[in-house]
């Protein structure tokens, strides 16, 4: 595994930070948004430019500052990080387009702050993706938590602030209370924090201590919304929809789950987890989250809250995949990061578009909306298929690999969990689509004045929907990255 | 040195000290503190610390007491303990 | 000239303080430039001194030309070189920042105030630099007296709380003096290094033990270590902003330094950690201090007073770290002296900016302040992040060392206490931030929607620029932690401690 | 019993200084009147000075002023024996301590006067009551 | 509170008593305190500084650095009392009382109008009480002698007990005595506030300046032997002279500070008639 030193990762992280002064200083909205676009595209291109190198199996490394032996501010781009960075940076472009439409459509206040912290959040996300050790990851993780706080509390009213408090309490509380001490303990055990191919904790501590650390890490990154540390996510739905879209489909929750995956593979190492057989523990937690999340989603009427619970459930697929500790399972989990991202962001976009166009938030009020907003609801349909994991959508690929993985690992119960949860997904998505399209005209709650949302809103969601279809037939970029990573991990 | 004298003065010092913090009148306390300091400086001169006792005589017994008295005149003599 | 840095460091401020107080009777406008020049020289020579120490190791400066232990000598090694630099730089920045607020709060007493200010800095620098146990006491008193005078110039109940501070401070200083006396009667010496050389034969003596305990208690009173902290919050809260923003960052930290010096140099670590089995109880006490400080801070509805309670908690950090008895903990304590001085300075400068523009700094007064003074609030956020301990601000790294020290010493209670106080700090500061950013400045503003109605009325530039320098310093120190630790603190801790 | 008396007699200065220090400390903590506290503070400090001076005492020695010193310093030729003179160092330290004590006293009194001008009483509890009712 | 105080005091006492157990016998010539450093001071002082009064030598030379700060402490205290108490009140409008010194009649001057410029009127307050004749005269008679004695104490500190502090305090006390026996205005007329305050600083400056001079002359701070080149004498005598110089500085500083503190305390910073 040869490595090359390049400043590109740092650039990829900084590019969106560097524009923040311009954003702050620029008074004219057009200038501001133009710059946002520039940054987004630049970030995407930088990430993309690293792709070939990674595909060649080379790793890109860059050390910023070292303040302790083994614990530096250091970037390393490997396949997994690449996968995640690709997803988030590409989606940022689309989301910023969408948020322009959304924010202008609703004439939201203090948009500058919004865009600035959006940029912050993206830097942090890519930083997490490229971090080479726990310390760097923790740094950007905290940065993300703090940068998203103003976005969550964007409306500044009482509800927003109380849920902001909840958000901060959960996220920062767990990261300081559990992840930080876990990190320190493992540093004092192993003397390093560098993610290794097979982790660095192997053979340094007794089984109970490893178990404790596993627990602390698993729940310490509460952004992964593993139950019982999940309830911040529905609360955070008060944020403007683009925020929910990006943060809860892409940035925040994915960062959380990405961190968990990183820790499981890079700190503990699959072999260690396997030998001490902690796999079942992870599987138990994950599948519990999946089922409970889906059940709660069934009972939701607010569209965004429903999506939030479905996110909670879907995230645990990824953890589950890694918990299977079998190559195919891990591959499936990693690919699911991408698949779920595209599917879920489409759904959020749709919810936002509906809100912009009609001001409706609840499912029960959306009868017959498909007639008025056919494009939106078509996209919604496709995306929900992807989430359920049915062809012709990308979600199918990842689900398929998860199933294979569970077979490979001889975890029959997990197989049932997967199938059952897919049924549940269908059970809470399909009624919406059904009501939207197939209802008698007199039931329709919308008069003819209602139109599609502004193009700025519609185009992005169409794009993402299309992409999530394409991903079924052409999942290679993400798939190859994932399988490369798996090869490195398992050495097979 | 004459240890009886030394002992006597030591006792006197303690008595003066206790009296200074127990007397129910701040002016009295100030004066008793002056007495205390003066005993102290006698004690030190017995121990041969001439410079110290000289300083204590001028500073402790002299100026400090004057400060106390001035302050008490400017505030009040009343005290509950 | 660089041979004379240790003397210049202390003498220039002293002389200029005298000149200031004399010049005040001739022309008030002379005072500030003189003070700035003096502290500038002090800062320059302290940094030069630190560089020299880094080059050629510890420096001994014989005052009066007498060899220690006959005369008084300055010992400047890596430890106090670092602290000297911090003290002088902090004092210098704060002086520049406080000019306006001094002129606002004490219009007719500026000259003596500057004189007292510089005297205070002189005392602090002397305490840090000196190698003589009794000399330290005298300088302690200079610091204390000038501090009382400055703090008592504040508003409402300042005098009363300062008087209590005076009682406690005197008790503390006298205890320290008594401890030195006990050391003197058994060793016959006052020079720290000399005492350290004589002590090993006397480790069993009860007198040495008594001396150690008395000194420690005295220093604890001075540094407001729980449960001896009662005087601090009121005294610091009601003082004038210039005074509290000088005293709050420096005095407690310098007393921590004194404690570490007592442990490391006077009563060698061997005695403090191995022969006496008191480190565990003290760490427990530190945990209680941290908990209490955090909880009391939660109860406050006043920004400045909240900060004073945070100081109490931070003192707990450093005492606990120093008494963990291992290298990591000691490193964390020393590093935290630097960081906490900067963090506290940042926070208190913010408070003095607020006090300069607003009538008060209670939570009700600072609603929606961000629209009025955005830059100050930005600095507050950075300071808050550092106090919470979010990377890459410096607060995180000292906490890192402290916690790993706690883990190595398997003092998990201390670790828990640290994490707990970090969490409480999150709550504290995000409460403040929420109030400052989201509360409508005036009641008519409907939850801050629509364009900000409040015109910007930011503090003058002379107050903002130092604030920004400090805020930037918080991040820079954080990034260069590695160098500070490996180049300075490594050598400040004797090899005996592992 | 006998050796107890021995100890008591051998160190009675120390016992007395401890007593005085306890008196002072008690006054500083327990007294309610601000000026009384200041008196206690001074007693406290003086007790410590007594302790130091006692450490300097030396049996069979005279005050630390050289006898043949008068006249010009050629007299330094006279040989001086340490046992003949009391240890001067504690005296020096205590000169400093006395001056510090009086300095502290001045500041304390000034503060007490300020407090009195504000609250019109020197009793701590009454002051606190006034603050609370404000 | 009393209970807590008692407990704390007693526990401290117990601690100290325990610690006292290992002390050397009181006044034991063989105790470390008398054998470690002091012999050097006692035996070497004469040849190193040519000052017979060892205390003075150690005070102002061996540990001169301490003493400089002790002077600074005094100065700080004066400054503190000043900043705490002094109130610069405007001459409040209203009638003023003057007293004719020879006849003792009190004249009330209406607001705005002025008194004919003459020496034998003195300004008084409503609370003015005539000073007792005997006390006044005796103090007037005593004060010069007190001051003379103080000067002697300062000057003769090399050879006999005394020195800067004691002399300074006595000098200050003489002025304070004047203020008590007559009134503050009289003493302030002798010793103006401004002069007093400046002299405080000057006193300490003399001390620190001497040290700085040594530093400029190429030796360490406060190393008086550097003065030899200035005073044209051998280093040892230079030390002796240096000690004298700084003692004078200390005397000035202490005197003025004592007066300063007294004036502020006794008149609550108003500088009226005082007690």
């Amino acid at each position: 595994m040869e490595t090359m030193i390049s400043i590109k990762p740092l650039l990829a992280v900084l590019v969106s930070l560097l524009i923040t002064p311009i954003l702050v200083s620029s008074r004219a909205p057009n200038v501001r948004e133009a710059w946002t676009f520039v940054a987004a595209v630049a970030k995407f291109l930088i990430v993309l430019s690293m792709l070939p190198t990674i595909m060649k199996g080379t790793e890109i490394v860059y050390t910023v500052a070292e303040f302790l032996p083994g614990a530096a501010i250091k970037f390393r781009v490997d396949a997994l990080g690449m996968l995640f960075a690709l997803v988030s940076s590409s989606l940022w472009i689309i989301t910023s387009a969408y948020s322009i439409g959304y924010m202008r459509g609703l004439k939201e206040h203090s948009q500058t702050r919004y865009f600035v912290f959006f940029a912050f959040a993206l830097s942090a996300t890519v930083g997490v993706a490229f971090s080479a050790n726990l310390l760097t990851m923790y740094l950007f993780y905290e940065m993300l938590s703090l940068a998203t706080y103003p976005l969550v509390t964007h409306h500044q009213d009482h509800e927003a602030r109380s849920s902001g408090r909840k958000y901060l309490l959960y996220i920062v509380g767990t990261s300081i209370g559990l992840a930080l001490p876990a990190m320190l303990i493992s540093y004092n055990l192993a003397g390093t924090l560098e993610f290794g191919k097979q982790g660095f904790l192997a053979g340094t501590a007794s089984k109970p201590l490893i178990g404790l650390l596993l627990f602390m890490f698993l729940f310490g990154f509460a952004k992964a919304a593993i139950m019982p540390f999940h309830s911040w996510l529905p609360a955070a739905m008060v944020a403007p929809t683009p925020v929910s879209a990006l943060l809860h489909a892409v940035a925040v929750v994915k960062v959380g789950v990405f961190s968990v995956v990183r820790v499981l593979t890079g700190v503990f190492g699959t072999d260690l987890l396997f030998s001490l057989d902690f796999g079942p523990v992870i599987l138990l937690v994950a599948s519990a989250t999946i089922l409970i999340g889906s059940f709660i989603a069934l009972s939701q009427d607010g569209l965004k809250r429903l999506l939030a619970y479905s996110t909670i459930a879907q995230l645990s697929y990824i953890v589950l995949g890694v918990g299977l500790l079998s190559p195919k399972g891990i591959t499936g989990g990693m690919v699911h990061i991408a698949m779920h991202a595209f599917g879920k962001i489409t759904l959020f976009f749709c919810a936002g578009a509906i809100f912009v166009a009609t001001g409706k938030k609840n499912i029960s009020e959306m009868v017959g909306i498909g007639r008025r907003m056919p494009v939106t609801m078509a996209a919604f349909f496709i995306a929900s298929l992807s989430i359920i994991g049915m062809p012709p959508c990308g979600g199918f690929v990842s689900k398929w690999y998860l199933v294979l993985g569970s077979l490979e690992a001889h975890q029959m119960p997990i197989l049932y969990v997967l199938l059952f949860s897919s049924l549940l997904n269908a059970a809470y998505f399909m009624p919406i689509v059904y009501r939207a399209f197939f209802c008698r005209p007199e039931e329709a709650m919308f008069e003819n004045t209602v139109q599609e949302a502004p193009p700025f809103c519609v185009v992005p969601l169409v794009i993402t929907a299309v992409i999530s279809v394409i991903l079924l037939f052409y999942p290679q970029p993400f798939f190859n990255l994932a399988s490369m990573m798996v090869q490195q991990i398992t050495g097979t | 040195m004459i240890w009886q004298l030394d002992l006597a003065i030591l006792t006197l010092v303690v008595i003066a000290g206790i009296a200074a913090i127990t007397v129910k009148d701040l002016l009295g306390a100030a004066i008793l503190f002056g007495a205390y300091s003066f005993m102290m400086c006698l004690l030190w001169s017995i121990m041969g610390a001439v410079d110290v006792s000289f300083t204590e005589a001028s500073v402790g017994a002299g100026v400090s007491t004057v400060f106390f008295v001035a302050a008490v005149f400017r505030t009040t003599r009343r005290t509950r303990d | 000239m660089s041979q004379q840095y240790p003397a210049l460091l202390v003498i220039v401020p002293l002389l200029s303080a005298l000149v200031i107080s004399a010049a005040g009777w001739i022309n008030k406008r002379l005072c500030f430039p003189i003070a700035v020049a003096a502290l500038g020289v002090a800062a320059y020579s302290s940094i030069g001194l630190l560089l020299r120490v880094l080059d050629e190791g510890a420096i001994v400066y014989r005052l009066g030309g007498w060899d220690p232990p006959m005369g008084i000598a300055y010992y400047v090694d890596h430890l106090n070189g670092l602290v000297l630099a911090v003290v002088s730089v902090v004092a210098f920045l704060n002086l520049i920042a406080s000019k306006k607020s001094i002129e606002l709060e004490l219009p007719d007493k500026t000259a003596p105030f500057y004189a007292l200010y510089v005297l205070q800095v002189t005392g602090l620098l002397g305490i840090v630099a000196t190698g003589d146990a009794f000399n330290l006491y005298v300088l302690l008193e200079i610091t204390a007296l000038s501090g009382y005078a400055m703090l008592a110039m504040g508003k409402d109940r300042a005098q009363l709380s300062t008087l209590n501070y005076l009682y406690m401070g005197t008790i503390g200083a006298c205890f320290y003096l008594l401890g030195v006396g006990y050391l003197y009667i058994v060793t016959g010496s006052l020079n720290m290094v000399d005492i350290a050389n004589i002590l090993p034969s006397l480790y069993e003596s009860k007198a040495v033990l008594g001396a150690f305990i008395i000194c420690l208690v005295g220093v604890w009173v001075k540094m407001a270590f729980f449960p001896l902290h009662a005087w601090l919050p009121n005294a610091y809260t009601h003082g004038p902003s210039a005074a509290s923003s000088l005293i709050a960052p420096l005095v407690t930290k310098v007393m921590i330094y004194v404690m570490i010096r007592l442990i490391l140099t006077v009563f060698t670590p061997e005695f403090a950690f191995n022969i006496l089995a008191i480190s565990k109880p003290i760490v427990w006490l530190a945990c209680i201090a941290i908990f209490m400080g955090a909880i009391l801070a939660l109860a406050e509805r006043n920004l400045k007073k909240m900060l004073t309670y945070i100081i109490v908690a931070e003192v707990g950090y450093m005492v606990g770290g120093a008494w963990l008895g291992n290298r990591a903990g000691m490193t964390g304590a020393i590093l935290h002296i630097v960081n906490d001085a900067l963090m506290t300075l940042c926070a208190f400068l913010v408070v003095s900016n607020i006090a300069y523009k607003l009538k008060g700094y209670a939570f009700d007064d600072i609603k929606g302040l961000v629209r009025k003074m955005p830059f100050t609030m930005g600095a507050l956020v950075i300071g808050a992040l550092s106090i919470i301990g979010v990377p890459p601000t410096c607060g995180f790294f000292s906490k890192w060392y402290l916690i790993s020290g706690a883990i190595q010493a398997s003092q998990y209670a201390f670790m828990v206490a640290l994490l707990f106080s970090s969490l409480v700090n999150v709550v504290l500061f995000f409460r403040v931030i929420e109030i400052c950013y989201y509360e409508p400045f005036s009641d008519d503003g409907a939850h801050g929607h629509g364009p900000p109605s409040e015109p910007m009325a930011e503090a003058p530039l002379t107050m903002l620029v130092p604030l920004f320098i400090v805020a930037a310093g918080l991040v820079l120190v954080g990034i260069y932690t590695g160098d500070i630790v490996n180049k300075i603190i490594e050598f400040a801790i004797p090899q005996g401690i592992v | 019993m006998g050796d107890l008396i021995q100890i008591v007699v051998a160190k009675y200065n120390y016992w007395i200084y401890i007593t005085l220090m306890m008196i002072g400390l008690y006054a500083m903590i327990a007294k309610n009147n601000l000026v009384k506290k200041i008196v206690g503070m001074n007693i406290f400090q003086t007790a410590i000075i007594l302790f130091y001076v006692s450490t300097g005492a030396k049996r069979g020695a005279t005050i630390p002023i050289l006898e043949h010193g008068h006249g010009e310093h050629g007299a330094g030729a006279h040989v001086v024996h340490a046992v003949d003179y009391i240890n001067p160092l504690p005296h020096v330290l205590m000169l400093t301590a006395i001056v510090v004590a009086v300095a502290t006293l001045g500041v304390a009194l000034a503060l007490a006067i300020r407090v009195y001008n504000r609250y019109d009483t020197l009793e701590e509890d009454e002051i606190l009551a006034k603050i609370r009712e404000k | 509170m009393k209970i807590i105080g008692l407990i704390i005091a007693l526990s401290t006492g117990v601690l100290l008593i325990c610690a006292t157990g290992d002390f050397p016998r009181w006044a034991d010539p063989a105790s470390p305190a008398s054998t470690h450093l002091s012999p050097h001071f006692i035996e070497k002082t004469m040849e190193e500084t040519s000052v017979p009064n060892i205390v003075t030598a150690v005070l102002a030379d061996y540990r001169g650095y301490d003493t400089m700060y002790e002077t600074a402490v005094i100065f700080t205290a004066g400054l503190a009392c000043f900043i705490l108490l002094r109130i610069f009140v405007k001459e409040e409008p209203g009638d003023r009382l003057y007293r004719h010194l020879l006849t003792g009649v009190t004249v009330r001057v209406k607001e705005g109008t002025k008194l004919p410029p003459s020496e034998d009127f003195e300004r008084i307050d409503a609370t003015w009480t005539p000073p007792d004749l005997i006390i006044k005269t005796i103090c007037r008679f005593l004060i010069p002698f007190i001051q003379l004695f103080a000067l002697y104490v300062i000057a003769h500190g090399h050879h006999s007990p005394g020195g800067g502090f004691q002399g300074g305090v006595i000098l200050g006390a003489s002025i304070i005595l004047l203020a008590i026996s007559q009134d503050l205005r009289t003493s302030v007329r002798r010793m103006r506030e401004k002069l007093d305050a400046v002299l405080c600083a000057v006193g300490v400056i003399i001390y620190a300046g001497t040290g700085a001079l040594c530093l400029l002359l190429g030796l360490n701070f406060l190393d008086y032997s550097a003065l030899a080149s200035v005073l044209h004498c051998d280093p040892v005598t230079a030390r002796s002279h240096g000690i004298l110089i700084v003692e004078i500085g200390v005397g000035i500083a202490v005197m003025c500070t004592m007066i300063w503190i007294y004036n502020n305390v006794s008149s609550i910073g108003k500088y009226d008639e005082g007690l």
Side-chain angles (χ1 to χ4, degrees), chain D residues 9-60:
Chain D
V9 174
K11 299 181 180 168
Y12 59 92
N13 289 50
Y14 298 138
W15 310 135
I16 297 295
Y17 113 77
I18 291 173
T19 325
L20 288 174
M21 213 194 66
M22 281 157 69
I23 294 171
L25 198 57
Y26 171 78
M28 285 185 77
I29 297 165
K31 287 293 173 181
N32 189 28
N33 183 298
L34 295 178
V35 175
K36 275 292 180 70
K37 280 175 183 256
I38 298 175
V39 177
M41 186 173 87
N42 269 281
I43 294 177
F44 186 59
Q45 287 168 322
T46 336
I48 293 175
I49 300 172
L50 170 61
F51 163 70
Y52 266 85
V53 173
S54 313
T55 63
K58 193 187 288 181
R59 188 168 287 103

Side-chain angles (χ1 to χ4, degrees), chain C residues 10 62 64 74 135 194 206, chain E residues 22 36 65-66 69 220-221:
Chain C
V10 184
R62 295 160 31 256
Y74 272 177
N135 187 236
D194 194 28
K206 288 200 290 295
Chain E
D22 285 0
H36 182 48
Y65 191 64
D66 265 351
Y69 275 112
N220 276 2
F221 184 73

Side-chain angles (χ1 to χ4, degrees), chain C residues 283 286-287 290 316-317 320-321 324 402 406 411-419:
Chain C
V283 173
C287 301
I290 297 172
Y317 288 16
L324 283 173
L402 288 171
Q411 292 267 21
Y412 293 102
F414 189 57
M415 182 181 86
V416 173
L418 286 169
L419 297 170

Side-chain angles (χ1 to χ4, degrees), chain C residues 39-52:
Chain C
L39 293 191
V41 172
Y44 171 80
S45 41
S46 70
I47 291 169
L49 191 60
L50 179 57
L51 296 178
R52 261 192 71 204

Side-chain angles (χ1 to χ4, degrees), chain D residues 10 59 66 73 87 96 99 114, chain E residues 26-27 33 38 50 52 70 74 84:
Chain D
R59 188 168 287 103
L66 301 176
H73 70 278
N87 175 4
T96 313
V99 174
R114 281 290 294 271
Chain E
W26 179 68
S38 60
S50 83
E70 145 189 26
I74 277 281
L84 282 174

Side-chain angles (χ1 to χ4, degrees), chain E residues 95-100 103-110 115-116 121-122 124:
Chain E
D95 302 356
R96 305 179 187 171
L97 299 176
Y98 286 89
R99 178 169 154 279
H100 191 255
T103 63
V105 284
T106 308
V107 188
R108 173 183 298 272
V109 177
K110 283 260 168 282
L115 206 67
F121 278 96
E122 76 164 345
I124 60 171

